[in-house]
Every structure is written in structure tokens, then in C-alpha cells.
Amino acid sequence: MTYEVLIIHNGYSKVVESGMEANCTCTLIKGKYNVIVDTMTPWDGELILKGLEKHGVQPNDIHFVVNTHGHSDHIGNNNLFLNSTHIVGHSISKKNLYFDDPFSEGKPYYIDGDDIMIIPTPGHTQSDVTVVVKTVDGIVAVAGDLFEKKEDLDDEFIWMSAGSECPGLQRHHRRMVLQLADYIIPGHGEMFKVTEEMKNKFFVKK
């Protein structure tokens, strides 16, 4: 099954006098199973509904809601998707039924075999996950705040200043995802293509 990866909203983050202004990237994966990744803040419901409608999708068409982690700018509109299975970090549930998670054992959760899977990528928080999707253009990793934005490949202060519960783990999983993906959708920036230069820069020999 061919999947499309569609951006509902490009995230951003910037330091301002009183703190930080930020909102996350919201992504729609459309195909046999429809998946929405990271549902922004509670003030963004109308924006998400309009974005879904643009792509011919209604909330009841969404099979899975995935939040790459549990921060408030990534989970704000989960309540729009009441017929979906919800995966919030390492928590997997539908309504009041909670399922065993494979992430704590370092294993993926498969939505559609290798075509869509969710892998554990802790670091930013200890329960971060990344959605990996096969498309006609290559492998897309919807990585949440594992990557803040493309620019943090050259300046790690960007992702560290956004908060990291375990910088060592985050560095490890950043390298892993760079080797795995052809494109990365970061938590607070536009999708970018992974170049051979990027892969080589962060490649660590075993």
C-alpha cells in the first residue's frame, strides 16, 4: 500500500523576551490506515479540521493518533479523534482500554507492517517515539522533537535548549534516524531531505 505524507501545519519555535513561542508540526499520513501525528495546542482544533478537509479526510477517518511525546503542544486536539487508537509516547489506548507497549523493550509498534511503524527514540523525553513511513519518494521519519528543526544539525544548542531529558540518548537516536530516513519531519520546522553529507557527518562506526 502506498502512503502519502502530508503536512497540515509546519511547526516553529523562537525565543522571545518572556520565554519561547512554539507550536509543533502536525502531519497526516494517508493510505490504507490514516494517521495523524502530533495534534498541536488546544487552540488549533479548527486549523487541523480545515487541514484534514483540504485532503478529503474527516476526524472519523483517522485510524491512529500518534503523539511523539506528551508535551502540551503535541497533544492538544486528541479529543477530535474519538474513534481512533491513541499512541501518546509509550501509552497505547482506545477509549478506556490500554494495551501493552513494545517500546519499553526497544521494539517497534507496527501499524501496517514495515510500511508504517513506530519506533522508540527516547532522549527529548524518555518516552519519545518516531513514526517511520515508506512512500514512493523514500522513507519519511516523523520524528517530533528528536529534531527541533533542520538547523539543529549544525547547532546542537537548538535542540538542547528546547529541553532534553537525556542528551546522550537523544544524540544516539538522532544518528540512528539520520541513517534510516530519506526525509525527516522535525518537531518545530519544515521537512528536510537527509543528504549523504548529513549521514556521513553523524555516522559512528561500531
Side-chain angles (χ1 to χ4, degrees):
M1 177 70 191
T2 301
Y3 283 94
E4 289 183 274
V5 176
L6 305 161
I7 305 299
I8 298 297
H9 175 268
N10 277 312
Y12 61 89
S13 63
K14 61 180 179 178
V15 176
V16 295
E17 186 175 346
S18 56
M20 177 175 282
E21 290 183 359
N23 209 338
C24 75
T25 298
C26 177
T27 305
L28 171 66
I29 301 165
K30 187 176 178 184
K32 177 181 177 182
Y33 297 101
N34 296 318
V35 182
I36 191 164
V37 186
D38 288 336
T39 62
M40 306 175 66
T41 79
W43 295 272
D44 299 308
E46 193 63 30
L47 186 156
I48 290 176
L49 290 174
K50 287 180 179 178
L52 292 176
E53 185 177 5
K54 176 182 174 182
H55 297 293
V57 176
Q58 299 296 319
N60 286 345
D61 299 326
I62 298 294
H63 299 96
F64 290 86
V65 176
V66 181
N67 307 113
T68 55
H69 60 291
H71 287 168
S72 59
D73 57 328
H74 291 256
I75 64 171
N77 293 285
N78 287 9
N79 63 305
L80 294 175
F81 307 100
L82 299 181
N83 292 329
S84 308
T85 297
H86 288 227
I87 301 173
V88 183
H90 289 191
S91 176
I92 305 171
S93 65
K94 187 165 186 180
K95 298 185 179 179
N96 64 348
L97 179 61
Y98 286 78
F99 305 97
D100 292 338
D101 87 89
F103 307 123
S104 301
E105 298 179 359
K107 298 177 181 178
Y109 178 96
Y110 295 99
I111 289 178
D112 189 9
D114 291 336
D115 287 340
I116 306 184
M117 63 179 176
I118 305 168
I119 60 174
T121 51
H124 179 67
T125 74
Q126 296 288 27
S127 59
D128 269 46
V129 296
T130 292
V131 184
V132 180
V133 190
K134 287 185 178 178
T135 74
V136 294
D137 297 315
I139 294 174
V140 179
V142 189
D145 290 3
L146 182 66
F147 297 87
E148 185 79 359
K149 54 188 72 173
K150 179 183 179 181
E151 290 79 6
D152 76 15
L153 294 173
D154 296 316
D155 182 4
E156 72 172 12
F157 175 77
I158 295 173
W159 63 263
M160 291 188 69
S161 64
S164 179
E165 292 182 4
C166 186
L169 266 181
Q170 191 162 349
R171 286 191 188 94
H172 168 76
H173 288 113
R174 283 162 60 86
R175 289 194 297 265
M176 182 186 77
V177 170
L178 280 167
Q179 300 306 318
L180 172 70
D182 298 300
Y183 297 88
I184 290 174
I185 299 176
H188 295 273
E190 296 182 3
M191 180 169 68
F192 62 90
K193 183 174 176 58
V194 180
T195 65
E196 286 302 314
E197 182 181 358
M198 292 175 187
K199 291 179 185 288
N200 293 334
K201 179 178 178 180
F202 292 96
F203 178 72
V204 176
K205 292 182 180 180
K206 295 182 180 180

